[in-house]
């Protein structure tokens, strides 16, 4: 087991390295000189700028620039400074991470609670009217752009029916108010979960169908166990294992969806930070959020793989 | 299995005269595929819907009396139907600028569909070449190439799309570029997987034994047999591209007004309190996006069953 974990960790390192190269290359493609952000139209003069250029290594060949940038990043956690307000990028992002994690975790939990029963039910009642209904709905779930579902949700539930607040994280800033928090969290997390439910229920359905065919399920039936016991005690547990992988695989899509959901609901998370940074072309912040999102995905995949290996020991053997 | 191994049979079938084919009641490959495709009712409906959308896009100027880029601001937010003051008829109402929504939808179909198709052509070509090279050469080349794909796929797609969109000035071609730059990784992965499993087959060995070059072995012997998954993934890519274009244009980073696209027609919806009373402005373009993506996904699903029954479930 330890061997397997060490190997997976070692495999993640080149991945992080390539992500940093991609981010850096994109950043260097951005128009304008990085010194532009230090320019003060009133006080700035040529000499100061050239000193800054030297310090930033703008005139160095690109691989030297990358080396300097990576050294700062790894040794000091320095991702540069925001063009907008001069705040360190890493600090700026870390302030926003909790709100995003709260939103995404809630969406994941909601999607699991809804998708798993749908998947199990569709598999057990294969080709029934319910199965066709859910198949169609999941196609619909994949076809609706996340921003559109958010727009409709705000229009209907916030503006017309006034069931939920239109935007923000909370209204009560004086004390921690759980109800206020849930009230604000409900609509964005439900809309974010919407797209996840579609694909997750499909995976759950095919995973369940796969398991139902197995010998141990037939044995359980042959023993004379009730159908409910066979499905929930024997089949479901095994069918749930692949869902671990799906959770990690859906993460990039979840980050993508959160960009729009956070923007539309004015949710103060990483997604909104990124979209606003794009509007004002704050490249340092854009690179920062992109890298952090990439790193988070790599680590969740790593954790998912390790969890999978713990739950299903065949994996370690198979890969050796 | 109804379909014989195409690699073995297709050259033979090509040489067989058509009449004798009929006499022997051997179905052509196309008709076998079509027969299987027809069984999937949703796929047939999807094909109908998508053809209709293409029809709307091609014949856009004939389908509406209005021009997509000529507005009358006095006509803003007219509800669907006949306008009692001017007597003009607006099938789907007018938008915030006074543009006719139906006109902008049919002209927008031109832009949205061609962006999706062009980007699909780019991602398919890059993906096939990348995947074929990686899969065929194997070893450390494959290892490095696939780690790059892993890394790109680890970064949430939309972050990458938005960065590229922010770097270049938005236009039709830039939107195609944005969708293509990182869109090829899924195709590359599928093609590589197919190549890895196909290159061990006997007929590839045979081609190699006759002294054929590696590159020509890939293109003439290996790739044609991977056509089924390539077609399916390409179809699904079109759906993903339509969604991505809509999302980019919605944020103002894709197609720029006054050129209409289904995505930028929804941009005005960001001011929700205004839109609340004029829902037709967003409902119609939104429905067209959803319908088209749904249709293309159904087509992809149908093709998967029709081209390669083994891929089902």
């Amino acid at each position: 087991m330890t061997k397997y974990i060490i190997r997976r960790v070692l495999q993640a390192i080149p991945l992080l390295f390539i992500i940093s190269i991609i981010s850096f290359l994109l950043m260097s493609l951005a128009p304008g000189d990085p010194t532009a952000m230090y320019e003060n139209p009133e006080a700035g003069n040529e000499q100061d700028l050239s000193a800054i250029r030297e310090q930033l290594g703008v005139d160095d060949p690109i691989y030297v620039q990358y080396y300097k940038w990576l050294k700062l990043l790894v040794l000091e956690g320095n991702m540069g400074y925001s063009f907008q307000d001069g705040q360190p990028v890493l600090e700026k992002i870390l302030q926003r991470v909790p709100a995003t994690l709260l939103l995404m975790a809630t969406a994941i939990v909601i999607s699991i609670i809804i998708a798993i029963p749908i998947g199990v039910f569709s598999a057990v009642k294969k080709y029934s009217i319910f199965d066709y209904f859910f198949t169609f709905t999941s196609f619909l779930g994949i076809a609706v752009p996340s921003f559109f579902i958010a727009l409709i949700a705000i229009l209907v539930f916030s503006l017309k029916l006034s069931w939920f607040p239109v935007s923000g994280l909370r209204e009560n800033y004086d004390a921690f108010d759980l109800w206020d928090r849930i009230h604000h969290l409900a609509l964005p997390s439900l809309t974010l979960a919407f797209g996840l439910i579609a694909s997750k229920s499909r995976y759950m359905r095919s995973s369940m169908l796969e398991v139902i065919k197995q010998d141990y399920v037939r044995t359980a039936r042959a023993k004379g166990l009730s159908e409910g016991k066979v499905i929930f005690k024997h089949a479901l547990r095994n069918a749930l294992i692949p869902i671990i992988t799906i959770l990690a695989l859906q993460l990039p899509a979840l980050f993508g969806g959160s960009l729009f959901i956070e923007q539309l609901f004015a949710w103060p998370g990483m997604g909104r930070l990124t979209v606003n940074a794009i509007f004002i072309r704050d490249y340092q912040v854009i690179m920062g959020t992109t890298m952090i999102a990439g790193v988070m995905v790599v680590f969740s995949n790593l954790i998912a793989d390790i969890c999978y290996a713990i739950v299903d020991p065949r994996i370690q053997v198979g890969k050796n | 299995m109804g379909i014989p191994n195409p690699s073995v049979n297709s050259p033979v079938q090509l040489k067989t005269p058509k009449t004798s084919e009929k006499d022997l009641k051997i179905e052509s490959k196309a008709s076998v595929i079509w027969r299987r495709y027809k069984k999937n009712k949703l796929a047939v409906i999807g094909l109908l819907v998508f053809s209709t959308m293409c029809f709307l896009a091609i014949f856009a100027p004939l389908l509406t009396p209005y021009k997509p880029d000529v507005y009358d601001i006095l006509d803003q937010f007219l509800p669907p139907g006949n306008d009692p003051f001017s007597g003009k008829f607006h099938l789907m109402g007018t938008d915030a600028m006074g543009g006719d929504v139906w006109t902008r939808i049919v002209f927008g179909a031109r832009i949205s569909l061609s962006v999706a198709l062009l980007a699909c052509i780019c991602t398919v070509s890059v993906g096939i070449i990348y995947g074929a090279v990686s899969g065929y050469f194997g070893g450390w080349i494959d290892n490095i190439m696939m780690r790059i794909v892993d890394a790109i796929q680890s970064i949430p797609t939309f972050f990458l799309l938005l960065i590229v969109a922010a770097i270049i000035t938005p236009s039709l071609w830039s939107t195609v570029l944005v969708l293509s730059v990182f869109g090829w990784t899924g195709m590359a992965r599928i093609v590589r997987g197919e190549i890895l499993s196909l290159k061990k087959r006997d007929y590839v060995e045979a081609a190699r034994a006759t002294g054929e070059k590696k590159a020509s072995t890939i293109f003439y012997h290996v790739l044609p047999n991977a056509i089924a998954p390539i077609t399916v993934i390409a179809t699904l890519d079109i759906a993903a591209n339509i969604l991505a274009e809509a999302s980019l244009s919605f944020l103002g980073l894709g197609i720029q007004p006054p050129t209409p696209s289904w995505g930028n027609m929804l941009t005005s919806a960001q001011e929700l309190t205004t839109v609340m009373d004029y829902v037709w402005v967003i409902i119609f373009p939104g429905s067209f996006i959803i319908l088209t993506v749904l249709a293309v996904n159904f087509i992809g699903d149908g093709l998967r069953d029709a081209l390669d029954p083994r891929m089902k479930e």
Side-chain angles (χ1 to χ4, degrees), chain A residues 159 205 278 281 286 290 297, chain B residues 154 162-163 166 251 276 313:
Chain A
L159 294 172
R205 177 180 180 271
I278 283 164
R281 304 287 191 266
I286 306 175
T290 307
V297 171
Chain B
S154 300
L162 291 179
I163 293 167
L251 287 178
M276 188 165 64
E313 303 276 354

Side-chain angles (χ1 to χ4, degrees), chain A residues 1-55:
Chain A
M1 190 66 211
T2 329
K3 237 178 159 182
Y4 175 79
I5 294 176
I6 291 171
R7 201 174 61 232
R8 287 295 292 112
V9 171
L10 287 179
Q11 278 169 356
I13 291 171
L15 219 53
L16 294 174
F17 187 64
I18 300 170
I19 289 176
S20 78
I21 294 179
I22 295 172
S23 301
F24 182 80
L25 284 180
L26 280 172
M27 184 161 62
S28 62
L29 282 175
D33 194 310
T35 55
M37 67 174 120
Y38 298 100
E39 220 166 348
N40 184 339
E42 280 160 34
N45 62 43
E46 275 303 307
Q47 227 175 352
D48 286 349
L49 272 187
S50 64
I52 294 168
R53 286 177 75 86
E54 190 132 328
Q55 201 191 333

Side-chain angles (χ1 to χ4, degrees), chain A residues 15 18-19 22-23 26 29-31 136 139-140 142-145 147-148 151-152 154-155 159-160 202 205-206 209 252 255-256 259-260 263-264 270 274-275 278-279 281 283 286-287 289-290 293-294 297-298 301, chain B residues 42 144 147-148 150-160 162-167 170 182 243 246-247 250-251 253 266 269-270 272-273 275-277 279 282-283 286-287 289-290 293-294 297-298 301 312-313:
Chain A
L15 219 53
I18 300 170
I19 289 176
I22 295 172
S23 301
L26 280 172
L29 282 175
F136 187 81
F139 265 109
L140 198 65
I142 297 164
V144 182
F147 69 87
F148 193 72
L151 282 176
I152 300 296
I154 297 175
L155 270 180
L159 294 172
K160 288 264 186 217
R202 295 309 290 164
R205 177 180 180 271
S206 53
L209 284 177
F255 267 110
L259 284 176
F260 294 92
Q263 179 65 13
L264 288 167
M270 256 174 83
T274 313
V275 175
I278 283 164
F279 286 147
R281 304 287 191 266
Y283 294 108
I286 306 175
M287 287 312 129
T289 52
T290 307
V297 171
V298 170
N301 278 324
Chain B
L42 285 176
I144 291 176
R147 288 299 81 71
I148 293 173
D150 284 345
I152 294 176
Q153 288 188 333
S154 300
I155 308 175
T157 323
F158 250 98
F159 281 75
L160 291 173
L162 291 179
I163 293 167
V164 183
I167 290 173
F182 295 107
L243 279 179
S247 308
F250 171 70
L251 287 178
L253 294 162
L266 292 168
Q270 279 173 335
L272 272 163
T273 35
V275 170
M276 188 165 64
D277 300 320
V279 280
I282 64 164
I283 293 297
S287 314
I289 296 172
I290 297 169
V293 173
L294 209 53
N297 280 333
F298 283 145
D301 208 45
K312 200 177 177 181
E313 303 276 354

Side-chain angles (χ1 to χ4, degrees), chain B residues 181-264:
Chain B
V181 172
F182 295 107
W184 49 269
T185 50
M187 179 64 84
R189 203 183 273 283
I190 295 289
V191 171
R192 170 188 174 266
E194 283 295 307
I195 303 271
L196 279 184
S197 75
L198 289 173
K199 76 174 181 184
K200 302 253 166 64
R201 301 277 174 89
D202 290 341
Y203 59 86
V204 179
E205 282 296 315
R208 277 244 291 275
T210 58
E212 238 180 284
K213 288 204 179 79
K214 267 194 172 182
S216 80
T217 323
I218 298 179
F219 283 100
Y220 293 111
H221 301 281
V222 180
L223 274 183
N225 288 295
I227 212 83
I230 290 175
T231 318
V232 174
I233 300 293
T235 316
L236 300 180
D237 274 356
I238 293 177
N241 288 343
I242 295 173
L243 279 179
E245 182 275 322
S247 308
L248 278 178
S249 301
F250 171 70
L251 287 178
L253 294 162
I255 307 296
Q256 300 295 302
T259 308
S261 94
W262 290 344
N264 73 21

Side-chain angles (χ1 to χ4, degrees), chain A:
Chain A
M1 190 66 211
T2 329
K3 237 178 159 182
Y4 175 79
I5 294 176
I6 291 171
R7 201 174 61 232
R8 287 295 292 112
V9 171
L10 287 179
Q11 278 169 356
I13 291 171
L15 219 53
L16 294 174
F17 187 64
I18 300 170
I19 289 176
S20 78
I21 294 179
I22 295 172
S23 301
F24 182 80
L25 284 180
L26 280 172
M27 184 161 62
S28 62
L29 282 175
D33 194 310
T35 55
M37 67 174 120
Y38 298 100
E39 220 166 348
N40 184 339
E42 280 160 34
N45 62 43
E46 275 303 307
Q47 227 175 352
D48 286 349
L49 272 187
S50 64
I52 294 168
R53 286 177 75 86
E54 190 132 328
Q55 201 191 333
L56 289 173
V58 178
D59 300 320
D60 290 334
I62 188 144
Y63 55 88
V64 179
Q65 286 184 43
Y66 171 73
Y67 174 72
K68 284 183 176 171
W69 175 80
L70 190 68
K71 212 165 87 177
L72 275 177
L73 178 67
V74 175
L75 297 181
E76 297 172 24
N78 187 343
M79 294 182 119
Y81 299 90
S82 164
F83 163 70
Q84 188 186 19
D85 51 12
Q87 237 190 314
V89 168
L90 189 66
E91 207 175 283
K92 221 174 152 139
I93 296 171
L94 290 180
Q95 285 169 359
R96 301 294 196 102
V97 167
T100 296
L101 287 185
L102 175 68
L103 181 64
M104 297 208 311
T106 317
I108 290 173
V109 171
I110 293 173
S111 70
I112 290 176
I113 293 173
I114 298 178
I116 287 178
I118 291 180
V120 172
F121 196 66
S122 305
V124 174
K125 304 262 180 239
K126 196 179 166 193
Y127 301 137
S128 67
I129 182 116
F130 300 102
D131 186 22
Y132 285 119
F133 173 76
F134 287 127
T135 304
F136 187 81
T137 331
S138 64
F139 265 109
L140 198 65
I142 297 164
V144 182
S146 55
F147 69 87
F148 193 72
I149 191 80
L151 282 176
I152 300 296
I154 297 175
L155 270 180
V156 175
F157 296 110
S158 298
L159 294 172
K160 288 264 186 217
L161 298 170
S162 308
W163 287 358
F164 297 103
V166 179
S167 64
L169 189 62
R170 56 181 164 180
E171 255 142 45
N172 187 350
Y173 281 90
D174 304 327
F176 182 80
D177 182 345
L178 186 67
W179 171 244
D180 182 41
R181 288 298 196 90
I182 294 174
H183 200 207
H184 280 81
L185 184 60
L187 209 50
S189 56
L190 275 170
T191 47
L192 189 56
F194 187 77
L196 300 179
I197 294 169
S199 49
K200 210 172 278 161
S201 63
R202 295 309 290 164
Y203 279 115
M204 191 60 217
R205 177 180 180 271
S206 53
S207 169
M208 195 70 187
L209 284 177
E210 191 62 37
V211 169
I212 286 177
K213 278 191 290 191
Q214 300 292 321
D215 288 342
Y216 55 80
V217 172
R218 199 182 309 145
T219 313
R221 283 213 178 100
K223 279 198 304 190
L225 286 183
S226 69
E227 190 61 21
K229 255 192 177 152
V230 173
I231 296 299
F232 291 104
K233 275 218 146 164
H234 293 254
L236 180 61
R237 283 191 190 176
N238 287 293
L240 280 174
I241 297 174
I243 298 301
I244 298 172
T245 319
I246 302 311
L247 284 177
L249 282 180
Q250 280 186 336
L251 209 62
L254 195 57
F255 267 110
S258 75
L259 284 176
F260 294 92
I261 304 286
E262 288 184 9
Q263 179 65 13
L264 288 167
F265 283 95
W267 188 263
M270 256 174 83
R272 189 168 167 76
L273 179 71
T274 313
V275 175
N276 287 337
I278 283 164
F279 286 147
I280 56 166
R281 304 287 191 266
D282 192 342
Y283 294 108
Q284 298 285 343
V285 172
I286 306 175
M287 287 312 129
T289 52
T290 307
M291 275 218 50
I292 301 258
V295 169
M296 281 161 90
V297 171
V298 170
F299 276 106
S300 349
N301 278 324
L302 189 64
I303 294 168
D305 278 356
I306 293 170
C307 290
Y308 204 125
I310 294 171
V311 185
D312 188 350
R314 285 173 300 183
I315 295 297
Q316 304 166 50
V317 182
K319 282 200 177 166
N320 279 325

Side-chain angles (χ1 to χ4, degrees), chain B residues 1-17:
Chain B
M1 283 301 135
I3 189 166
N5 189 338
S7 65
V8 181
N9 278 33
S10 51
V12 181
Q13 275 186 5
L14 279 175
K15 281 173 201 160
T16 324

